[in-house]
């Protein structure tokens, strides 16, 4: 893969600011890590799929900087984003005598990144960590912005902390091994940024979708850069989601219900988000915020990206009721009232409640 030149996006959070480096040949270059604070030890956290592919190269790059480099390999998959798996990271830290300066490296997709971040936030009340995201989804979204979490059987990402990394390394080369289904899942989060913030970016994605699906390095680099710029701008204004940041959850209220309703891992997170955006767009249209042509345009793009556009049936007896029950367990809910991220005109999002009857109509119309 011929990688474009290095680009850097900055996330501006006062003393918690950090760079997001995007390019090729980054994650295994010792220079990438030269600005990090010194420590006697580092812990590389990865999983059973990613570790055999990339861990040795990351360890080699860190060799000159850290005296003791430890590693822990987690089971792979959303179903393992749990307390039990999180504890494996704490076991590795304690068994290896890691101290307050030990630096954690999250080498993997969003699941590894979210769990490593949460472990870093809580080990000895906080140790530094670096994100080395290896999926498109993690490069455009989860590694940036400091949301860390594990799942609870009753709700997705319900237990976690806001905790920023020191550095994010988006290396395009690692995407060469990413399966097509995972690439599509990442595209859901790329597409998300268009309707909520930047219609010119949506136009660009429509024109360049084939190049993105073919993993063209220049197209991927632009998609990652623009996604990170939009996310950095939002997080820079509202780090802890007291308002604006909620727009980044477009499609997630329906999507999280799909993920937890089917059992974590049945649908990929990005698949839930893709289909959830279709459902949220329909709800926006029924509330009179966008016209049907916009909904159809977004649906076509999501389908072209290889993502499902019809929701699964979660209950044979009362499907809409099941969705509603699951959606009430959402971090945006207030006093049991579901709050949806809606498209309030192309390129603009708003967070609002909607009448249950209307939400039921959307679910009935959008589910297989
Ligand atoms: P994932 O971490 O499960 O990775 C997807 C799959 O790809 C896994 O099987 C993984 O082992 C494999 N993989 C990763 N990199 C690879 C590579 N380079 N080559 C081959 N295989 C590779 O899933 P994801 O889509 O990266 O992340 C989804 C998670 O991210 C969800 O848990 C979601 O809640 C979370 N998320 C968090 C935020 C946030 O702001 N923190 C934002 C969006 C999503
Ligand atoms: N992925 C949503 C957020 O980071 O706020």
């Amino acid at each position: 893969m011929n990688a474009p030149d290095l680009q850097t996006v900055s996330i501006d959070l006062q003393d918690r600011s950090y760079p997001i480096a995007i390019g090729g040949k980054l994650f295994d270059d010792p220079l990438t890590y030269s600005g990090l604070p010194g420590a006697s030890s580092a812990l590389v956290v990865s999983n059973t799929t990613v570790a055999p592919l990339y861990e040795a190269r990351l360890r080699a790059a860190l060799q000159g900087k850290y005296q003791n480099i430890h590693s822990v390999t987690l089971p792979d998959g959303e179903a393992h984003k749990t307390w039990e798996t999180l504890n494996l990271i704490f076991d590795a830290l304690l068994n290896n005598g890691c101290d307050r300066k030990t630096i954690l490296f999250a080498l993997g997709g969003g699941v590894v990144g979210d769990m490593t971040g949460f472990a870093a936030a809580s080990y000895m009340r906080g140790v530094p960590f670096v994100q080395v995201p290896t999926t498109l989804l993690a490069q455009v979204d989860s590694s940036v912005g400091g949301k860390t979490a594990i799942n609870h059987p009753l709700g997705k990402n319900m237990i976690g902390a806001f905790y920023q990394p020191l550095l994010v390394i988006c290396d395009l080369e690692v995407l060469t091994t990413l399966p097509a289904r995972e690439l599509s899942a990442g595209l859901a989060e790329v597409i998300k940024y268009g309707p909520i913030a930047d219609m010119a970016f949506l136009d660009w994605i429509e024109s360049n979708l084939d190049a993105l699906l073919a993993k063209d390095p220049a197209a991927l680099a632009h998609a990652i850069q623009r996604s990170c710029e939009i996310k950095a701008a939002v997080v820079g204004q509202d780090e802890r989601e007291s308002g604006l940041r909620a727009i980044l959850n477009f499609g997630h209220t329906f999507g999280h219900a799909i993920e937890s309703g089917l059992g974590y891992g049945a649908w990929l997170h990005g698949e839930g988000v893709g289909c959830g955006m279709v459902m949220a767009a329909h709800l926006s249209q029924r509330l009179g915020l966008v016209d049907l042509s916009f909904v159809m345009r977004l649906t076509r793009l999501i389908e072209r990206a290889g993502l499902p556009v019809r929701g699964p049936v979660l209950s044979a007896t009362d499907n809409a009721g099941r969705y509603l029950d699951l959606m009430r367990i959402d971090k945006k809910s207030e006093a049991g009232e579901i709050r949806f991220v809606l498209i309030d005109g192309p390129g603009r999002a708003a967070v609002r409640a909607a009448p249950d009857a209307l939400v039921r109509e959307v679910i009935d119309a959008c589910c297989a």
Side-chain angles (χ1 to χ4, degrees):
M1 181 185 268
N2 288 327
D5 293 342
L6 171 71
Q7 304 162 61
T8 305
V9 175
S10 298
I11 179 154
D12 186 6
L13 292 165
Q14 299 84 43
D15 59 340
R16 294 175 315 291
S17 301
Y18 52 93
I20 303 156
I22 303 159
K25 306 195 185 313
L26 286 179
F27 91 99
D28 56 354
D29 182 347
L31 271 181
T32 300
Y33 307 102
S34 58
L36 291 174
S40 62
S41 61
L43 177 73
V44 177
V45 183
S46 193
N47 72 19
T48 49
T49 304
V50 178
L53 294 171
Y54 300 115
E55 190 189 298
R57 285 165 65 187
L58 176 58
R59 287 178 67 105
L62 300 175
Q63 210 74 56
K65 181 132 187 133
Y66 304 104
Q67 219 179 326
N68 300 303
I69 303 172
H70 310 290
S71 48
V72 58
T73 306
L74 309 179
D76 186 5
E78 189 71 40
H80 296 286
K81 198 177 173 185
T82 59
W83 278 118
E84 290 71 26
T85 311
L86 184 70
N87 232 2
L88 298 176
I89 306 178
F90 296 129
D91 290 348
L93 287 163
L94 288 161
N95 284 329
N96 289 299
C98 292
D99 60 28
R100 280 197 157 144
K101 290 195 168 171
T102 298
I103 180 160
L104 274 59
F105 289 82
L107 175 69
V111 171
V112 166
D114 280 12
M115 282 196 293
T116 307
F118 191 25
S122 28
Y123 184 64
M124 294 197 179
R125 303 199 180 94
V127 293
F129 87 112
V130 170
Q131 289 273 16
V132 187
T134 62
T135 62
L136 180 63
L137 186 142
Q139 295 190 352
V140 300
D141 193 351
S142 64
S143 65
V144 173
K147 277 189 180 175
T148 74
I150 54 169
N151 297 329
H152 186 279
L154 292 178
K156 172 105 177 119
N157 293 335
M158 277 292 157
I159 297 147
F162 287 99
Y163 194 68
Q164 302 294 342
L166 295 181
L167 175 67
V168 180
I169 302 300
C170 299
D171 192 320
L172 299 166
E173 193 195 322
V174 299
L175 300 181
T176 52
T177 53
L178 193 67
R181 186 177 169 200
E182 300 292 348
L183 185 77
S184 291
L187 287 172
E189 301 279 18
V190 175
I191 292 168
K192 167 186 86 178
Y193 293 110
I196 63 167
D198 184 352
M199 287 303 285
F201 186 44
L202 192 72
D203 295 342
W204 181 89
I205 299 167
E206 283 176 331
S207 304
N208 290 276
L209 189 66
D210 293 340
L212 290 167
L213 286 166
K215 296 188 182 172
D216 174 76
L220 285 172
H222 180 73
I224 297 164
Q225 181 194 357
R226 188 66 197 125
S227 299
C228 289
E229 281 170 356
I230 295 170
K231 181 152 187 183
V234 171
V235 173
Q237 293 170 69
D238 180 21
E239 182 183 4
R240 297 175 78 89
E241 200 167 308
S242 44
L244 177 71
R245 185 168 177 167
I247 68 170
L248 298 174
N249 281 316
F250 175 48
H252 288 57
T253 311
F254 289 103
H256 283 173
I258 293 171
E259 282 188 85
S260 58
L262 287 177
Y264 297 119
W267 275 35
L268 302 179
H269 176 71
E271 292 171 340
V273 169
C275 184
M277 288 192 288
V278 172
M279 296 168 90
H282 275 285
L283 184 57
S284 308
Q285 188 264 327
R286 280 170 198 253
L287 286 163
L289 303 173
V290 283
D291 57 34
L292 194 58
S293 64
F294 180 80
V295 181
M296 299 325 292
R297 178 184 172 188
L298 187 62
T299 306
R300 254 194 314 276
L301 180 60
I302 291 167
E303 196 165 26
R304 269 182 68 206
L307 294 158
V309 292
R310 294 197 63 75
V313 174
L314 300 180
S315 162
T317 48
D318 181 11
N319 187 45
R322 178 76 181 131
Y323 269 84
L324 282 164
D325 285 348
L326 288 164
M327 289 194 294
R328 270 184 244 287
I329 308 170
D330 182 273
K331 291 185 286 310
K332 290 184 299 303
S333 290
E334 285 180 10
E337 184 179 69
I338 307 166
R339 296 169 77 246
F340 295 91
V341 181
L342 301 166
I343 300 305
D344 186 13
R348 207 174 51 235
V351 183
R352 282 180 43 180
D356 275 6
L358 208 60
V359 180
R360 279 182 174 274
E361 277 177 32
V362 167
I363 294 165
D364 289 344
C366 289
C367 287

